[in-house]
Amino acid sequence: MPHEVHTPVTPEELAHSFEDAAPTADISNYAVEDWVTLAIFWIMTGCVFLQFFTRYVLNNSYAWTEEIATNCLIGVVFLGSVMCVRLSRHIQVDVLYHYLPMRVARVLAICVDIVRIGFFVYACWLMWRYVAIVADERMVTVDLPRNIVFYSVLAGFVLMLGRSIQVFIANQRRGYSVLERPEEFQKVED
């Protein structure tokens, strides 16, 4: 193990290190669906905390908190996926694009965009049909319609479809996608 050298710091030096201006937060990259997802996340967190508190502190848990937290998690997953589509952050394999000629890589990237749009069209259609089938179901512990959850999933797929179309248009205007030049998309995060 290498020998560590610690430079002595006086309390005054430490106190002065906090005088630098705090970095400004840039929230311009977030869209409406991100804020809705954040709100649902905090509702879920509140339900989980309430469930924990009532079960382990009061020794008498509320049964409805688990169902509401589970349904909120479904909303967070599908609405949060919209941000991943918008920012091209879903899992993808781009190693093949480094070995293909540029024109072939471009055609393949366009095909990936078109297949993604087709997938979301099909998922929207399937979810629409599913919501129609189970429209009259009720939640188990809370007397609310279960289709609230299903409509949030449908909304997530519709928004992912819209965002994937926007990504496709942006990729066409730019002339490359994240698959072809991932390093260009890393610059945005720095």
Side-chain angles (χ1 to χ4, degrees):
M1 183 169 190
H3 179 67
E4 294 182 22
V5 178
H6 296 280
T7 307
V9 178
T10 65
E12 290 80 21
E13 291 173 329
L14 183 63
H16 289 294
S17 69
F18 292 103
E19 292 176 356
D20 296 336
T24 57
D26 181 23
I27 60 172
S28 64
N29 293 332
Y30 298 105
V32 174
E33 64 266 15
D34 302 335
W35 298 109
V36 172
T37 304
L38 182 66
I40 295 171
F41 173 80
W42 281 109
I43 292 169
M44 178 187 71
T45 303
C47 286
V48 170
F49 175 77
L50 184 61
Q51 181 182 29
F52 176 83
F53 181 78
T54 58
R55 178 176 290 163
Y56 295 111
V57 176
L58 302 180
N59 205 21
N60 185 16
S61 67
Y62 294 139
W64 59 268
T65 55
E66 183 176 353
E67 183 174 26
I68 297 299
T70 302
N71 292 333
C72 285
L73 180 61
I74 293 169
V76 166
V77 166
F78 284 95
L79 293 176
S81 292
V82 178
M83 179 170 39
C84 291
V85 171
R86 186 182 76 242
L87 299 175
S88 297
R89 293 294 184 243
H90 276 117
I91 295 173
Q92 51 205 9
V93 179
D94 58 3
V95 69
L96 179 65
Y97 293 87
H98 297 291
Y99 298 107
L100 292 174
M102 279 181 51
R103 294 186 67 72
V104 175
R106 185 74 196 122
V107 169
L108 188 58
I110 290 171
C111 290
V112 167
D113 284 343
I114 291 170
V115 168
R116 179 178 44 221
I117 291 170
F119 171 78
F120 288 133
V121 167
Y122 184 62
C124 290
W125 178 75
L126 283 178
M127 198 62 213
W128 180 257
R129 290 195 56 204
Y130 184 72
V131 167
I133 293 169
V134 296
D136 297 330
E137 285 188 17
R138 306 292 288 177
M139 291 184 190
V140 176
T141 58
V142 181
D143 191 27
L144 289 173
R146 184 109 172 100
N147 61 7
I148 294 170
V149 179
F150 301 135
Y151 277 122
S152 73
V153 173
L154 177 62
F157 277 126
V158 169
L159 289 169
M160 283 186 268
L161 171 62
R163 293 299 189 183
S164 65
I165 292 170
Q166 286 178 340
V167 167
F168 175 70
I169 292 169
N171 289 344
Q172 294 306 307
R173 288 183 181 160
R174 190 182 313 111
Y176 59 89
S177 72
V178 68
L179 293 169
E180 298 164 276
R181 297 186 196 169
E183 65 279 355
E184 292 295 323
F185 291 82
Q186 295 298 324
K187 293 178 183 176
V188 175
E189 293 178 355
D190 295 339

